[in-house]
Protein backbone atom coordinates (compact mmCIF):
# COMPACT_ATOMS: atom_id res chain seq x y z
CA UNK A 1 0.00 0.00 0.00
CA UNK A 2 1.40 3.38 -1.01
CA UNK A 3 1.41 5.58 2.10
CA UNK A 4 1.09 9.27 1.44
CA UNK A 5 1.15 10.67 4.96
CA UNK A 6 3.62 10.16 7.80
CA UNK A 7 1.56 11.80 10.54
CA UNK A 8 -2.14 12.66 10.55
CA UNK A 9 -4.51 14.31 12.98
CA UNK A 10 -7.95 12.73 13.25
CA UNK A 11 -10.72 14.95 14.66
CA UNK A 12 -13.50 12.97 16.34
CA UNK A 13 -16.59 14.71 17.68
CA UNK A 14 -18.30 13.96 20.96
CA UNK A 15 -21.46 13.15 19.03
CA UNK A 16 -19.67 10.31 17.22
CA UNK A 17 -18.49 8.86 20.53
CA UNK A 18 -22.04 8.93 21.92
CA UNK A 19 -23.00 6.41 19.20
CA UNK A 20 -26.46 5.06 19.86
CA UNK A 21 -26.86 7.13 23.04
CA UNK A 22 -28.06 10.75 23.34
CA UNK A 23 -24.93 11.73 25.28
CA UNK A 24 -21.97 10.18 27.09
CA UNK A 25 -19.81 7.50 25.50
CA UNK A 26 -20.80 4.36 23.64
CA UNK A 27 -17.98 1.89 24.45
CA UNK A 28 -18.82 -0.20 21.39
CA UNK A 29 -18.15 2.77 19.12
CA UNK A 30 -14.92 3.58 20.95
CA UNK A 31 -13.76 -0.05 20.65
CA UNK A 32 -14.63 -0.12 16.97
CA UNK A 33 -12.67 3.10 16.42
CA UNK A 34 -9.69 1.59 18.27
CA UNK A 35 -9.60 -1.30 15.78
CA UNK A 36 -9.92 1.08 12.82
CA UNK A 37 -7.09 3.27 14.11
CA UNK A 38 -4.95 0.21 14.78
CA UNK A 39 -5.01 -0.44 11.01
CA UNK A 40 -3.50 3.02 10.46
CA UNK A 41 -0.82 2.59 13.15
CA UNK A 42 0.11 -0.79 11.62
CA UNK A 43 0.96 1.07 8.40
CA UNK A 44 3.48 3.13 10.44
CA UNK A 45 1.42 6.27 10.11
CA UNK A 46 1.57 8.34 13.29
CA UNK A 47 -1.86 9.25 14.64
CA UNK A 48 -2.88 12.24 16.74
CA UNK A 49 -6.50 12.38 17.84
CA UNK A 50 -8.30 15.59 18.76
CA UNK A 51 -11.46 14.62 20.55
CA UNK A 52 -14.49 16.91 20.93
CA UNK A 53 -16.77 17.18 23.93
CA UNK A 54 -20.16 18.01 22.48
CA UNK A 55 -21.60 14.78 23.95
CA UNK A 56 -21.20 16.48 27.34
CA UNK A 57 -21.01 20.27 26.97
CA UNK A 58 -20.75 22.86 24.21
CA UNK A 59 -19.67 26.14 25.75
CA UNK A 60 -21.54 28.44 23.38
CA UNK A 61 -24.80 26.58 24.13
CA UNK A 62 -24.70 26.46 27.90
CA UNK A 63 -23.33 29.96 28.61
CA UNK A 64 -25.95 32.14 30.28
CA UNK A 65 -28.19 31.96 33.36
CA UNK A 66 -25.17 32.95 35.43
CA UNK A 67 -22.62 30.67 33.74
CA UNK A 68 -19.97 32.87 32.12
CA UNK A 69 -18.85 31.96 28.62
CA UNK A 70 -15.30 31.31 29.82
CA UNK A 71 -16.58 28.92 32.49
CA UNK A 72 -18.85 27.22 29.95
CA UNK A 73 -15.85 26.67 27.69
CA UNK A 74 -13.83 25.30 30.59
CA UNK A 75 -16.69 22.85 31.19
CA UNK A 76 -16.57 21.92 27.50
CA UNK A 77 -12.83 21.29 27.71
CA UNK A 78 -13.40 19.05 30.74
CA UNK A 79 -15.92 17.13 28.61
CA UNK A 80 -13.17 16.48 26.06
CA UNK A 81 -10.96 15.22 28.88
CA UNK A 82 -13.61 12.69 29.93
CA UNK A 83 -13.79 11.44 26.34
CA UNK A 84 -10.01 11.32 26.00
CA UNK A 85 -9.62 9.29 29.20
CA UNK A 86 -12.26 6.79 28.09
CA UNK A 87 -10.72 6.46 24.62
CA UNK A 88 -7.21 6.00 26.03
CA UNK A 89 -8.27 3.06 28.20
CA UNK A 90 -10.43 1.49 25.51
CA UNK A 91 -7.67 1.85 22.89
CA UNK A 92 -5.15 0.21 25.21
CA UNK A 93 -7.65 -2.57 25.94
CA UNK A 94 -7.73 -3.09 22.16
CA UNK A 95 -3.91 -3.32 22.08
CA UNK A 96 -3.35 0.13 20.58
CA UNK A 97 -0.44 1.86 22.34
CA UNK A 98 -1.92 5.18 23.42
CA UNK A 99 -1.11 8.22 25.53
CA UNK A 100 -3.45 10.99 26.67
CA UNK A 101 -1.97 14.50 26.69
CA UNK A 102 -4.03 17.35 28.07
CA UNK A 103 -4.04 21.01 27.14
CA UNK A 104 -5.74 21.86 30.41
CA UNK A 105 -4.01 21.21 33.71
CA UNK A 106 -5.06 17.72 34.77
CA UNK A 107 -1.86 16.27 36.14
CA UNK A 108 -3.56 13.60 38.22
CA UNK A 109 -5.23 12.01 35.25
CA UNK A 110 -3.24 12.82 32.10
CA UNK A 111 0.20 13.89 30.95
CA UNK A 112 0.47 17.60 30.15
CA UNK A 113 0.60 18.52 26.48
CA UNK A 114 4.26 19.26 25.84
CA UNK A 115 5.38 19.53 22.25
CA UNK A 116 8.53 17.43 22.66
CA UNK A 117 6.70 14.80 24.70
CA UNK A 118 3.96 14.48 22.06
CA UNK A 119 6.62 14.05 19.36
CA UNK A 120 8.40 11.42 21.41
CA UNK A 121 5.25 9.37 21.90
CA UNK A 122 4.35 9.64 18.22
CA UNK A 123 7.84 8.62 17.09
CA UNK A 124 7.52 5.54 19.32
CA UNK A 125 4.37 4.60 17.43
CA UNK A 126 1.95 5.55 20.18
CA UNK A 127 -1.39 7.12 19.32
CA UNK A 128 -1.61 10.50 21.05
CA UNK A 129 -5.08 11.52 22.23
CA UNK A 130 -5.35 15.23 22.94
CA UNK A 131 -7.66 16.42 25.71
CA UNK A 132 -8.77 19.97 26.44
CA UNK A 133 -8.74 21.19 22.85
CA UNK A 134 -6.37 24.16 22.61
CA UNK A 135 -6.67 24.89 26.31
CA UNK A 136 -8.22 28.29 25.55
CA UNK A 137 -11.88 29.37 25.53
CA UNK A 138 -13.86 30.84 22.63
CA UNK A 139 -12.76 28.20 20.14
CA UNK A 140 -13.89 24.67 19.40
CA UNK A 141 -12.01 21.43 18.94
CA UNK A 142 -12.20 21.90 15.13
CA UNK A 143 -9.99 24.97 15.42
CA UNK A 144 -7.85 23.28 18.06
CA UNK A 145 -7.43 20.35 15.63
CA UNK A 146 -5.90 22.60 12.97
CA UNK A 147 -3.71 24.45 15.50
CA UNK A 148 -2.37 21.20 16.94
CA UNK A 149 -1.92 19.65 13.49
CA UNK A 150 0.26 22.63 12.60
CA UNK A 151 2.12 22.50 15.90
CA UNK A 152 2.80 18.76 15.50
CA UNK A 153 3.66 19.06 11.83
CA UNK A 154 0.90 16.71 10.70
CA UNK A 155 0.44 16.12 6.98
CA UNK A 156 -3.33 16.36 7.05
CA UNK A 157 -6.39 16.91 9.26
CA UNK A 158 -8.95 14.13 8.89
CA UNK A 159 -12.28 15.53 10.03
CA UNK A 160 -14.72 12.73 10.81
CA UNK A 161 -18.38 13.53 10.11
CA UNK A 162 -21.70 11.70 9.97
CA UNK A 163 -22.00 12.12 6.19
CA UNK A 164 -19.35 10.94 3.75
CA UNK A 165 -18.15 14.40 2.73
CA UNK A 166 -19.49 17.75 1.59
CA UNK A 167 -22.53 17.90 -0.73
CA UNK A 168 -23.82 20.66 -3.00
CA UNK A 169 -27.11 20.56 -1.02
CA UNK A 170 -28.11 19.01 2.29
CA UNK A 171 -28.27 15.25 1.47
CA UNK A 172 -30.74 14.71 4.32
CA UNK A 173 -33.23 17.03 2.58
CA UNK A 174 -32.43 16.60 -1.14
CA UNK A 175 -32.29 13.18 -2.81
CA UNK A 176 -30.42 14.67 -5.80
CA UNK A 177 -27.64 16.16 -3.65
CA UNK A 178 -24.22 15.50 -5.19
CA UNK A 179 -21.01 14.84 -3.25
CA UNK A 180 -18.14 17.21 -3.97
CA UNK A 181 -14.85 15.31 -4.00
CA UNK A 182 -12.54 18.34 -4.12
CA UNK A 183 -13.09 21.86 -2.82
CA UNK A 184 -10.82 24.88 -2.57
CA UNK A 185 -10.25 26.52 0.80
CA UNK A 186 -11.83 29.69 -0.58
CA UNK A 187 -15.02 27.89 -1.54
CA UNK A 188 -15.15 26.07 1.80
CA UNK A 189 -14.63 29.24 3.84
CA UNK A 190 -16.82 31.47 1.67
CA UNK A 191 -19.86 29.24 1.21
CA UNK A 192 -22.28 29.90 4.11
CA UNK A 193 -24.04 26.59 3.43
CA UNK A 194 -20.89 24.61 4.33
CA UNK A 195 -21.19 24.09 8.08
CA UNK A 196 -19.34 20.82 8.36
CA UNK A 197 -16.36 22.44 10.08
CA UNK A 198 -15.84 25.77 11.83
CA UNK A 199 -14.95 28.61 9.49
CA UNK A 200 -12.14 29.65 11.85
CA UNK A 201 -10.64 26.16 11.51
CA UNK A 202 -10.89 26.18 7.72
CA UNK A 203 -9.48 29.71 7.47
CA UNK A 204 -6.48 28.71 9.57
CA UNK A 205 -5.96 25.63 7.40
CA UNK A 206 -6.10 27.88 4.32
CA UNK A 207 -3.55 30.29 5.73
CA UNK A 208 -1.07 27.48 6.33
CA UNK A 209 -2.06 25.18 3.44
CA UNK A 210 -2.94 22.34 5.81
CA UNK A 211 -4.94 19.76 3.79
CA UNK A 212 -8.36 18.86 5.22
CA UNK A 213 -10.29 15.67 4.49
CA UNK A 214 -13.96 15.60 5.50
CA UNK A 215 -15.19 12.00 5.57
CA UNK A 216 -17.35 9.38 7.25
CA UNK A 217 -15.11 7.66 9.80
CA UNK A 218 -17.82 5.20 10.81
CA UNK A 219 -17.51 3.16 7.61
CA UNK A 220 -15.00 0.33 8.00
CA UNK A 221 -11.65 1.08 6.36
CA UNK A 222 -12.34 4.77 5.77
CA UNK A 223 -9.91 6.10 8.38
CA UNK A 224 -7.13 4.05 6.77
CA UNK A 225 -8.16 5.27 3.29
CA UNK A 226 -8.08 8.90 4.44
CA UNK A 227 -4.75 8.42 6.25
CA UNK A 228 -3.14 6.88 3.18
CA UNK A 229 -4.26 9.71 0.92
CA UNK A 230 -6.82 7.60 -0.98
CA UNK A 231 -9.93 9.26 -2.35
CA UNK A 232 -12.54 9.32 0.39
CA UNK A 233 -15.03 12.02 1.39
CA UNK A 234 -14.18 15.57 0.36
CA UNK A 235 -10.68 16.94 0.14
CA UNK A 236 -10.25 20.67 0.88
CA UNK A 237 -7.05 22.08 -0.57
CA UNK A 238 -5.69 25.15 -2.36
N1 LIG B 1 -13.52 24.13 23.91
C1 LIG B 1 -12.78 25.28 24.20
N2 LIG B 1 -11.54 25.43 23.65
C2 LIG B 1 -10.98 24.51 22.81
C3 LIG B 1 -11.76 23.36 22.48
C4 LIG B 1 -13.01 23.18 23.06
O1 LIG B 1 -13.22 26.13 24.94
O2 LIG B 1 -9.85 24.69 22.35
C5 LIG B 1 -14.83 23.95 24.55
C6 LIG B 1 -15.95 24.65 23.81
O3 LIG B 1 -16.89 25.11 24.76
C7 LIG B 1 -16.56 23.54 22.97
C8 LIG B 1 -16.44 22.37 23.93
O4 LIG B 1 -15.17 22.57 24.56
O5 LIG B 1 -17.89 23.78 22.60
C9 LIG B 1 -16.50 21.01 23.31
O6 LIG B 1 -15.79 20.97 22.09
P1 LIG B 1 -16.54 20.92 20.68
O7 LIG B 1 -17.80 21.73 20.72
O8 LIG B 1 -15.55 21.29 19.64
O9 LIG B 1 -16.89 19.37 20.58
P2 LIG B 1 -17.50 18.51 19.36
O10 LIG B 1 -18.60 19.30 18.73
O11 LIG B 1 -16.39 18.24 18.40
O12 LIG B 1 -17.97 17.25 20.03
Amino acid sequence: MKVKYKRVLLKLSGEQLAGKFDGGIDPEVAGWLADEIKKVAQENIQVVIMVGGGNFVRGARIAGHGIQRVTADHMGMLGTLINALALTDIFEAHKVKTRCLSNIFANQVAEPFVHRLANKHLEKGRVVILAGGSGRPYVTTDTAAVVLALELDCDSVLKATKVDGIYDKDPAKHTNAKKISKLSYRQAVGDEAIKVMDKAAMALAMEHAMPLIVFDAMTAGNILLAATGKVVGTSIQA
Side-chain angles (χ1 to χ4, degrees):
M1 183 181 286
K2 189 177 175 296
V3 172
K4 189 174 168 189
Y5 300 131
K6 182 173 180 285
R7 182 180 288 182
V8 294
L9 186 145
L10 173 67
K11 161 69 209 296
L12 295 173
S13 72
E15 195 185 0
Q16 273 145 2
L17 294 186
K20 57 185 171 292
F21 304 122
D22 290 334
I25 300 157
D26 182 342
E28 273 180 34
V29 169
W32 185 87
L33 283 167
D35 291 335
E36 289 296 299
I37 288 158
K38 191 193 283 179
K39 296 178 193 168
V40 180
Q42 281 169 346
E43 293 293 330
N44 290 326
I45 301 172
Q46 298 171 9
V47 183
V48 182
I49 297 178
M50 173 62 71
V51 62
N55 51 334
F56 291 111
V57 172
R58 281 206 181 93
R61 284 228 191 115
I62 65 146
H65 307 285
I67 302 178
Q68 296 176 48
R69 172 65 193 264
V70 171
T71 309
D73 283 335
H74 287 154
M75 292 165 70
M77 287 188 255
L78 290 174
T80 72
L81 179 60
I82 294 174
N83 284 332
L85 292 177
L87 281 185
T88 304
D89 268 18
I90 293 171
F91 277 34
E92 292 250 301
H94 282 247
K95 309 266 179 283
V96 181
K97 287 184 287 169
T98 308
R99 293 291 184 274
C100 177
L101 269 56
S102 179
N103 261 324
I104 46 170
F105 302 118
N107 295 352
Q108 253 177 321
V109 295
E111 293 175 56
F113 176 82
V114 174
H115 183 250
R116 279 175 185 275
L117 182 59
N119 273 321
K120 193 188 83 181
H121 286 319
L122 289 164
E123 278 154 18
K124 286 190 172 173
R126 296 167 181 153
V127 170
V128 167
I129 301 184
L130 299 170
S134 66
R136 305 266 51 101
Y138 287 101
V139 288
T140 67
T141 49
D142 276 0
T143 305
V146 178
V147 172
L148 270 292
L150 289 166
E151 183 171 351
L152 291 171
D153 203 16
C154 294
D155 299 306
S156 181
V157 172
L158 316 178
K159 157 84 181 173
T161 51
K162 276 191 290 187
V163 281
D164 60 343
I166 298 175
Y167 283 73
D168 61 347
K169 309 180 195 123
D170 184 349
K173 291 186 192 145
H174 304 273
T175 48
N176 63 347
K178 281 202 190 83
K179 195 170 93 181
I180 304 165
S181 57
K182 265 192 193 153
L183 203 62
S184 72
Y185 292 116
R186 274 196 195 287
Q187 285 171 296
V189 174
D191 187 341
E192 278 302 312
I194 296 173
K195 295 193 171 82
V196 76
M197 194 171 196
D198 283 9
K199 296 293 183 200
M202 293 196 288
L204 187 65
M206 174 165 77
E207 199 177 330
H208 297 280
M210 170 62 70
L212 301 173
I213 314 274
V214 176
F215 75 113
D216 169 20
M218 301 311 291
T219 295
N222 265 6
I223 299 177
L224 181 62
L225 286 176
T228 49
K230 301 275 160 44
V231 176
V232 61
T234 300
S235 155
I236 306 177
Q237 287 177 334

